[in-house]
Amino acid sequence: MKILIRVSYLGTNYAGFQVQKNAVTVQEKLQDAVESLYGVRYPLTGCSRTDSGVHAKDFCCTIEAGADCERIPFEKIPDALNVRLPKDISVFEAFLMPDDFHPRYSVHFKEYEYLIYNSRKRSPFYEGRAFQYPTELDEFKMDRAADMFRGTHDFSAFMSSGSGVSDTVRTVKYCRATRNGREVRVTVAADGFLYNMVRIIVGTLIEVSAGKIQEQDIPVIIESKERGRSGFTAPPEGLYLNKVVYR
């Protein structure tokens, strides 16, 4: 039996999602809760690997559970897990899925959101939850440049080294930048993402705003496949997995 749970979490206190030997992760805490609930440490598979400090509003996992788990109605699973989870991790839905469903490979697209707190003055409410950038950003320039990422491209220029990925072609459904007061948000949806792809896109858009990279240079940078031509890697605390859509 395969149970899909939808989870939200603040990643500040965790070394990413995936279990690690010498660090606390979100997956470990979820597995602890599942084991406490069912008495068995069932396998738990996530839809993505989020880095240390990255957050999620909608993260999907499957629990490969035994038939005896049917004793707990699916609508009660979120509450049953939440009382066993720390306050910065919450399960908000649970569903029974077919055996051939995979939380990663069955994805149609994912949407990430990057939050920038655009102010010189520090705010405790954004600490660990947004990238504080003191220089005034031009969200209109950023948005025009962001739209140039749409389509199917080789995004090698927007991938950090060490990922070990050979297939670097991805399809971006949309990419945009918006402002609401001091908050500037970059939203990107794609069928998949390379290592640090969104954070490098954000860093590139910030450099477009600063005039270090020209808007019209984005297609040239993509075509070059050279990491050294794109912008800096924005820090992890502003990144949120916002939405996961399945086929």
Side-chain angles (χ1 to χ4, degrees):
M1 185 168 68
K2 193 168 283 190
I3 302 170
L4 173 71
I5 56 173
R6 303 190 86 116
V7 183
S8 58
Y9 60 82
L10 286 172
T12 307
N13 296 321
Y14 303 100
F17 173 77
Q18 190 152 327
V19 166
Q20 298 181 30
K21 288 183 178 179
N22 300 310
V24 179
T25 67
V26 176
Q27 185 180 28
E28 177 189 345
K29 291 298 184 182
L30 286 168
Q31 287 183 313
D32 289 346
V34 168
E35 184 176 11
S36 173
L37 177 61
Y38 294 115
V40 179
R41 200 169 185 84
Y42 289 119
L44 187 142
T45 304
C47 66
S48 181
R49 296 182 180 184
T50 56
D51 291 337
S52 179
V54 173
H55 316 293
K57 296 179 181 178
D58 181 13
F59 190 98
C60 297
C61 315
T62 52
I63 305 167
E64 296 184 36
D68 61 313
C69 292
E70 292 181 348
R71 60 187 172 82
I72 301 177
F74 294 108
E75 66 272 15
K76 294 186 177 180
I77 290 175
D79 288 342
L81 289 174
N82 286 338
V83 297
R84 295 167 166 83
L85 286 166
K87 298 298 184 182
D88 50 8
I89 303 174
S90 177
V91 177
F92 58 90
E93 283 184 317
F95 306 94
L96 179 64
M97 302 301 289
D99 290 340
D100 62 352
F101 175 84
H102 194 283
R104 181 177 178 186
Y105 301 123
S106 299
V107 168
H108 178 44
F109 71 90
K110 298 173 189 172
E111 180 187 274
Y112 277 90
E113 182 179 83
Y114 194 94
L115 177 59
I116 303 167
Y117 175 52
N118 193 199
S119 174
R120 292 184 178 278
K121 296 180 176 64
R122 184 171 59 85
S123 168
F125 299 104
Y126 291 98
E127 188 67 29
R129 302 185 185 188
F131 173 33
Q132 183 183 355
Y133 190 78
T135 304
E136 189 73 10
L137 290 169
D138 186 335
E139 70 274 14
F140 299 107
K141 286 177 67 174
M142 293 173 66
D143 189 52
R144 290 193 298 268
D147 190 58
M148 297 180 187
F149 288 102
R150 279 192 304 117
T152 302
H153 308 287
D154 185 325
F155 282 99
S156 296
F158 297 86
M159 177 182 69
S160 291
S161 61
S163 69
V165 175
S166 56
D167 178 10
T168 51
V169 175
R170 299 291 185 271
T171 299
V172 171
K173 292 175 65 67
Y174 52 82
C175 183
R176 51 183 177 253
T178 57
R179 176 186 287 274
N180 181 15
R182 292 288 94 196
E183 294 183 357
V184 175
R185 296 176 188 268
V186 176
T187 307
V188 189
D191 60 354
F193 292 89
L194 303 173
Y195 183 44
N196 284 342
M197 179 173 158
V198 177
R199 290 165 59 189
I200 297 170
I201 287 175
V202 171
T204 302
L205 295 178
I206 289 173
E207 293 194 12
V208 167
S209 174
K212 297 178 181 179
I213 295 175
Q214 301 304 309
E215 297 172 41
Q216 61 270 22
D217 289 341
I218 298 298
V220 178
I221 295 171
I222 293 173
E223 187 66 25
S224 77
K225 305 177 188 178
E226 297 176 9
R227 173 65 186 95
R229 301 188 65 170
S230 55
F232 70 95
T233 304
E237 61 265 25
L239 185 60
Y240 295 75
L241 176 55
N242 202 41
K243 184 191 303 182
V244 182
V245 177
Y246 289 101
R247 297 181 180 89

